[in-house]
Amino acid sequence: MTELKGGALLEARQVVVRFGGLEAVGGLDMAVARGAIHGLIGPNGAGKTTVLNVLTGFIRPTAGRLVFDGEEIGGLNVNGFARRGLARTFQNIRLFGAMTVLESVLVGAHQRFSASAPALIFGGRAARTAERAMIARAHELLDFVGLRHDIADRVATTLSYGHQRRVEIARALMSSPKLLLLDEPLAGMNAVEKQEIAELVRQVRAQGIAVLLIEHDMQIVRSLCDHLTVLEYGKLLADGAPERVLSDPAVQAAYLGRAR
Amino acid sequence: MDYFGQLLANGLVLGAIYALTAVAFTLVYGVVRLVNFAFGELFMLGAFLTTSLMLPEVRLFGTVVPMPGFPLPIAALGAIVITGVIGVVVDRIAYRPLRNAPRLAPLITSIAVSVVLQSLAQTAWGAEELRFPQFYLATLPPVVLFDSIYLSVMDLVVMATAIVAMLGLSLFIARSSLGRAMRASAEDQTAAMLVGIPVNRVVAAAFAIGSGFAALAGLLYAQTYGFAHSSMGFLPGLKALTAAVLGGIGSIPGAALGGLILGLVEALGAGYLPNGTAWKDAISFVLLVGLLYLRPQGLLGRPELNSAGRGSLLGGASEAGAFWLRAVFARVDALLARFAAAGAPAALGLLAIAIVVGTLVPSDYWLRILTMVVIYGMLASGLNVIVGFAGLLDLGFVAFWAVGSYLTSILFVLVLKESYGVAPQEVWWLLYLNLPLGGLLAAGLAVLLGTPTLRLRGDYLAIMTLGFGEIVRVVAINWMDLTRGPMGIRGIPAPNLFGISLGSPRAQFFFALALAAVVVFAVARLVRSYVGRAWVAIREDEEAAEAMGVPTARYKLYAYAASGFVGGFVGVFYAHSQQYISPLNFSLFENILLLMLVVLGGLGTFIGPFVGALIWIVFLQLALDLPFVQAYPETRFALLGVVLIVLMVFRPQGLAASARVGLTMPGARAKEAA
Ligand SMILES: Nc1ncnc2c1ncn2[C@@H]1O[C@H](COP(=O)(O)OP(=O)(O)OP(=O)(O)O)[C@@H](O)[C@H]1O
Ligand SMILES: [Mg+2]
């Protein structure tokens, strides 16, 4: 692949993932630049979710290296990835059942709390201040993702699908990540909602947070992304600026060939 | 060599019996992924039924009932068939409605079934052993092998029966159409259903066969050891489960192998280790714990079985039930929800009510009972931290309770009073030191025991913690110098404050109440913070929690520690309030009882454990006035089991579940609303 410009936020080198006999990702190189919206596209089953799982530590790759913000992160636990500044959502929404929206979002801020057990039990001042600050921040973020305040005390899993997606994004943002990884956040939404979420993603970028986005809607991808990586059968098919990549005949063939 | 040969022979007989029972666990687990704890009790029923059918008459419910006096083979066949039918009925009533519920709901139900069957058996056959009758084969002279190993003819029959039964089952599963259907359902139930396999019937068949095997093992056991007893199925059941896990649960050859290994290890261990017979029960559990740690899938098993579905322990289970029932609960729920939303004022209100009750109740008898309610409520609260909030089923919690109790008892009685002649009144303050000390010691133990379980989930976690609890109990029984063994420790002083004895029932009640306030306050403070949010997140979706930056392993250990602390803390007071403790106080049954109380009241609520304890202990006393219960006290436990099964089917989240606990700091919220 092409030489990376110095200072990519996240670099994956020669990543291989095998599930038994199936090679879901085969020697993938990719780099996500700081502050960019990076699209990861490809036909169904191309290995996009698998790549996202590798980039967030959910799957230990069979081979390959991961460098995030100048640091080797391949050996970390999943929570270590999160602590370094990688936050994600899931293709199938995974909110915590039985928790309210506010509580769920606060879990995203877990790493920002540090009060000891005695401080919590005996009501330390610092513990209360931290809690208050995080609750305020959670409300800001609920605002930011376009949810009304009165939703904060509802049990998250009882919300509508679209609202659950937004809660999931707020929860991920709550950790103040450097890179937000979204697995098909627009799936199952109508055109208006899609535009809203796309706008939300732009605002995230405006805050200096890079976004890795898996998406099937080429219209949106074209207008939203700064950079595209295309996968097919776990291999890199194309990589570069959206216009150029999307007009690549190989990419078009991959989509047409699969879609029919 | 003679000695070794004899041990080998004993081990083979025992192994055959374990293997047969292990097959029951493995067969049902393979098809429905359920650890049916009740197989130990079906084992016991097999023994009782066979014995009864062979006798000319039996005392049932206190009256002499004539029996057919069949020869062994016919009696055995009858017992196996009846037990098989019972197994199918149990599945139909207690497990089938929970087929799609989270995994732990049927697990808890199976524990409840076990309690029901055991107490019913004790009610029917009484608390005494029923001697296995003499019969022709048993009177034959033993066979002598290599001039030195004596094997009775029945020993040979046991081994032969086990081999034939297992080969027959393997053949049946490989060849018959029902067997093929079983294998298909074991692979993938949905797929099996889609291709038209009647899954319910297949499951029923697995239960019938499994129960039959358990009954066969039970009757062979009764024959070998010469008696039947209502609690005889408990330990062999656990060991057979161990054998099944050892071999790799779900695999029939694995069960055979596991049973054989366990039987041999136990027999040889009992024979060669110093004081081996006393420790032989610990041997199997140490083996179990070690194995689960190193290779949870067992020798021949598959790793993916070590998993629990995502989601709450019990929540999400279907809420069936008649309309009026739901209407009643809707009222209660609304009330509870309002109560829980009120937070601290509501809790203080409850405390005030408890104080008023404690002041006004005139009878010492009832004060003692209320003290027990508070103690069990506190213990259940401790268990609730790990089970209700963090979602980890812990069957070894009693160990923490025991640690606190023994710590203070050993210090006060064995060390100070008996070794140094210090009167307890002189060191009354030590109790107040021991409370946190017992808590810390138990918390340390909890972390120690919790660490190896971190990789385990669901059923395997339950089994491993159960193994730990049993090991601690066996140690308490056998480490005579430290614990006085089964005799227990007497003369533990009543609580005392500045030389004033707090031994009166009323003083004890208020003492317990004060501790309960401390426990609930501390637990609530932890739960209503980022720690509690991390616990609940782990319970609901461990992977997602991890992805949000929660170091889940560490927070599980915190949950163990918090739960252990409460156990140890309360244990210290428990010893002083009872003034006598023995290993019997800390049996697995107590753990199961505590679990039932939490489930009854509502997992993951602050009030649930106390609701459960209040209902149970007050019921226990009121029931004593019923003539039926006076005649058969054991039926109370059966009733608790039945209530729990009904609850699991109709309202799995517990009675007080709607007293939902907020997970944010109360003060922090109040400000933000302004
Ligand atoms: N845990 C797993 N075990 C075995 N195979 C897997 C596993 N996860 C994914 N696969 C396989 O790897 C391949 C890539 O799957 P992946 O989910 O990454 O695709 P995707 O690009 O995200 O597809 P979609 O657009 O449908 O979400 C598929 O063939 C899938 O069946
Ligand atoms: Mg995907």
Side-chain angles (χ1 to χ4, degrees):
Chain A
M1 84 175 270
T2 51
E3 258 319 287
L4 292 171
K5 289 182 296 232
L9 179 60
L10 174 66
E11 265 186 74
R13 293 203 197 111
Q14 287 302 309
V15 169
V16 178
V17 178
R18 273 191 214 103
F19 294 119
L22 175 83
E23 193 175 72
V25 180
L28 178 72
D29 284 310
M30 81 182 259
V32 179
R34 290 176 196 279
I37 299 176
H38 190 124
L40 181 59
I41 63 173
N44 289 110
K48 305 180 294 294
T49 298
T50 306
V51 168
L52 194 142
N53 281 339
V54 168
L55 297 181
T56 49
F58 267 61
I59 295 178
R60 270 282 147 96
T62 317
R65 291 176 57 196
L66 297 177
V67 178
F68 182 69
D69 213 7
E71 185 192 358
E72 191 84 35
I73 55 170
L76 297 176
N77 289 334
V78 176
N79 79 70
F81 279 68
R83 279 155 187 272
R84 295 293 184 291
L86 291 135
R88 70 171 294 178
T89 65
F90 297 88
Q91 184 165 356
N92 306 308
I93 299 176
R94 286 171 81 165
L95 288 171
F96 303 116
M99 270 181 155
T100 67
V101 169
L102 180 66
E103 290 160 4
S104 306
V105 173
L106 283 172
V107 173
H110 182 84
Q111 48 184 301
R112 322 218 148 260
F113 290 96
S114 58
S116 65
L120 290 174
I121 292 173
F122 300 112
R125 187 77 165 286
R128 179 145 313 175
T129 316
E131 180 95 349
R132 209 169 280 155
M134 284 306 142
I135 288 177
R137 168 114 181 95
H139 279 291
E140 267 171 46
L141 279 175
L142 287 176
D143 242 7
F144 179 74
V145 299
L147 290 172
R148 294 208 322 271
H149 271 238
D150 55 5
I151 232 169
D153 288 325
R154 299 253 313 265
V155 171
T157 45
T158 62
L159 299 181
S160 74
Y161 178 79
H163 284 181
Q164 290 194 34
R165 280 263 175 238
R166 290 168 198 259
V167 175
E168 224 191 3
I169 294 174
R171 182 179 71 177
L173 286 173
M174 195 67 195
S175 63
S176 306
K178 292 174 184 147
L179 175 61
L180 177 67
L181 302 98
L182 304 173
D183 197 345
E184 305 198 17
L186 309 182
M189 294 193 164
N190 64 33
V192 179
E193 282 178 310
K194 280 188 177 181
Q195 284 309 327
E196 284 172 11
I197 301 285
E199 187 47 40
L200 179 62
V201 171
R202 283 194 193 93
Q203 284 170 15
V204 170
R205 174 181 58 188
Q207 298 190 350
I209 300 170
V211 179
L212 183 88
L213 176 77
I214 298 179
E215 182 45 47
H216 283 292
D217 185 330
M218 288 309 133
Q219 219 70 45
I220 301 261
V221 166
R222 189 188 303 269
S223 70
L224 189 57
C225 295
D226 304 313
H227 191 103
L228 281 187
T229 298
V230 189
L231 287 182
E232 190 187 24
Y233 298 117
K235 293 239 161 43
L236 189 72
L237 188 62
D239 187 83
E243 285 310 322
R244 210 191 65 212
V245 166
L246 290 177
S247 55
D248 184 333
V251 173
Q252 288 179 346
Y255 266 89
L256 291 176
R258 282 289 187 92
R260 295 309 130 207
Chain B
M1 182 61 209
D2 304 356
Y3 186 52
F4 176 74
Q6 196 61 53
L7 292 177
L8 204 65
N10 295 347
L12 286 177
V13 171
L14 199 58
I17 292 171
Y18 287 159
L20 284 172
T21 323
V23 164
F25 281 104
T26 252
L27 193 65
V28 164
Y29 193 94
V31 177
V32 269
R33 302 281 182 272
L34 162 70
V35 174
N36 179 22
F37 276 102
F39 277 132
E41 274 55 47
L42 294 170
F43 174 101
M44 172 268 298
L45 284 181
F48 262 125
L49 289 169
T50 309
T51 316
S52 301
L53 289 175
M54 285 173 74
L55 289 168
E57 54 180 40
V58 171
R59 270 185 104 77
L60 286 179
F61 301 101
T63 44
V64 176
V65 178
M67 282 284 153
F70 287 141
L72 174 64
I74 299 180
L77 204 66
I80 289 172
V81 170
I82 299 174
T83 312
V85 171
I86 295 175
V88 173
V89 171
V90 164
D91 168 54
R92 180 67 193 82
I93 297 174
Y95 303 145
R96 200 196 287 177
L98 296 173
R99 214 68 100 203
N100 295 318
R103 287 268 291 283
L104 291 176
L107 192 70
I108 291 174
T109 315
S110 88
I111 294 175
V113 169
S114 217
V115 171
V116 172
L117 291 178
Q118 190 176 327
S119 13
L120 286 183
Q122 187 170 339
T123 310
W125 279 283
E128 259 99 75
E129 290 180 357
L130 188 61
R131 281 180 56 93
F132 201 83
Q134 280 295 327
F135 58 102
Y136 172 68
L137 278 178
T139 58
L140 293 176
V143 181
V144 185
L145 297 175
F146 308 111
D147 291 337
S148 58
I149 304 170
Y150 286 76
L151 276 178
S152 74
V153 174
M154 274 315 291
D155 286 349
L156 294 174
V157 172
V158 169
M159 290 189 236
T161 314
I163 292 172
V164 169
M166 285 215 253
L167 287 181
L169 180 65
S170 303
L171 218 64
F172 170 79
I173 289 190
R175 296 286 164 77
S176 75
S177 64
L178 190 57
R180 275 196 299 272
M182 262 181 206
R183 270 184 298 150
S185 316
E187 277 307 317
D188 185 342
Q189 243 184 55
T190 332
M193 199 113 62
L194 286 179
V195 299
I197 291 174
V199 170
N200 276 332
R201 216 174 322 146
V202 170
V203 173
F207 267 97
I209 298 173
S211 309
F213 266 74
L216 175 62
L219 74 93
L220 294 177
Y221 187 92
Q223 185 285 135
T224 307
Y225 295 94
F227 71 92
H229 185 260
S230 57
S231 65
M232 69 182 284
F234 175 69
L235 270 181
L238 283 187
K239 289 186 189 153
L241 177 58
T242 304
V245 173
L246 189 70
I249 199 158
S251 146
I252 290 176
L257 183 68
L260 200 64
I261 294 179
L262 202 65
L264 286 175
V265 167
E266 213 170 85
L268 295 176
Y272 284 115
L273 291 179
N275 200 9
T277 30
W279 292 100
K280 80 177 195 314
D281 290 337
I283 297 173
S284 348
F285 293 117
V286 169
L287 203 68
L288 173 73
V289 165
L291 179 92
L292 283 177
Y293 182 57
L294 296 173
R295 192 178 159 81
Q297 69 267 41
L299 299 174
L300 307 180
R302 292 182 296 184
E304 73 265 31
L305 297 184
N306 175 32
S307 62
R310 260 195 272 144
S312 311
L313 204 54
L314 304 168
S318 70
E319 202 174 329
F323 176 74
W324 65 267
L325 197 67
R326 268 178 292 159
V328 169
F329 272 128
R331 287 273 178 76
V332 180
D333 282 350
L335 207 70
L336 281 167
R338 206 139 27 95
F339 166 82
L348 288 177
L350 265 194
L351 187 63
I353 294 174
I355 291 174
V356 171
V357 169
T359 321
L360 295 183
V361 167
S363 95
D364 281 357
Y365 177 76
W366 276 98
L367 277 169
R368 280 200 196 93
I369 289 165
L370 289 176
T371 308
M372 274 332 256
V373 170
V374 179
I375 289 178
Y376 273 83
M378 283 191 276
L379 288 168
S381 299
L383 183 61
N384 191 29
V385 170
I386 187 88
V387 183
F389 289 108
L392 305 166
L393 189 59
D394 184 357
L395 293 176
F397 177 77
V398 274
F400 312 138
W401 174 16
V403 163
S405 285
Y406 270 105
L407 171 81
T408 197
S409 312
I410 291 168
L411 278 183
F412 267 102
V413 179
L414 302 192
V415 177
L416 288 175
K417 190 159 108 198
E418 297 187 359
S419 304
Y420 293 95
V422 182
Q425 305 86 279
E426 292 169 37
V427 285
W428 59 268
W429 45 266
L430 186 59
L431 162 63
Y432 303 91
L433 210 67
N434 280 348
L435 282 170
L437 208 64
L440 284 178
L441 195 68
L445 181 74
V447 170
L448 211 66
L449 298 191
T451 308
T453 70
L454 288 177
R455 293 192 302 169
L456 299 183
R457 298 170 188 203
D459 305 333
Y460 279 9
L461 176 68
I463 297 170
M464 187 151 173
T465 54
L466 184 153
F468 276 134
E470 284 300 290
I471 290 172
V472 170
R473 192 178 58 85
V474 174
V475 169
I477 292 179
N478 288 304
W479 195 347
M480 299 290 283
D481 296 339
L482 188 71
T483 65
R484 296 245 169 113
M487 286 182 334
I489 301 178
R490 277 175 202 293
I492 306 160
N496 190 314
L497 191 62
F498 297 108
I500 304 161
S501 168
L502 303 179
S504 81
R506 201 174 303 277
Q508 293 227 13
F509 173 77
F510 283 114
F511 200 111
L513 204 59
L515 293 186
V518 171
V519 165
V520 173
F521 177 79
V523 169
R525 277 290 176 92
L526 284 181
V527 166
R528 304 199 67 174
S529 78
Y530 73 99
V531 177
R533 291 194 291 267
W535 284 339
V536 175
I538 290 171
R539 179 186 82 194
E540 295 295 327
D541 188 339
E542 190 174 335
E543 277 190 333
E546 183 82 14
M548 295 306 125
V550 178
T552 53
R554 182 141 34 105
Y555 276 80
K556 284 184 190 175
L557 287 183
Y558 289 166
Y560 275 111
S563 155
F565 189 94
V566 174
F569 182 82
V570 180
V572 171
F573 171 68
Y574 177 79
H576 289 276
S577 120
Q578 297 296 298
Q579 309 191 354
Y580 165 67
I581 57 165
S582 84
L584 275 182
N585 296 75
F586 312 107
S587 65
L588 176 63
F589 182 77
E590 289 296 320
N591 203 102
I592 289 172
L593 185 62
L594 286 175
L595 182 65
M596 288 188 173
L597 299 188
V598 190
V599 174
L600 185 69
L603 283 161
T605 63
F606 295 139
I607 190 176
F610 290 92
V611 170
L614 184 72
I615 292 178
W616 167 237
I617 292 175
V618 170
F619 162 77
L620 213 56
Q621 293 310 316
L622 294 181
L624 280 180
D625 293 336
L626 303 175
F628 180 72
V629 172
Q630 273 168 352
Y632 309 110
E634 285 309 306
T635 47
R636 294 174 302 172
F637 293 94
L639 216 59
L640 174 67
V642 169
V643 166
L644 209 75
I645 295 168
V646 172
L647 204 69
M648 274 295 154
V649 174
F650 292 109
R651 194 182 159 84
Q653 67 277 51
L655 294 175
S658 55
R660 192 190 167 281
V661 169
L663 301 173
T664 49
M665 255 181 229
R669 272 325 285 281
K671 261 285 164 48
E672 155 245 330

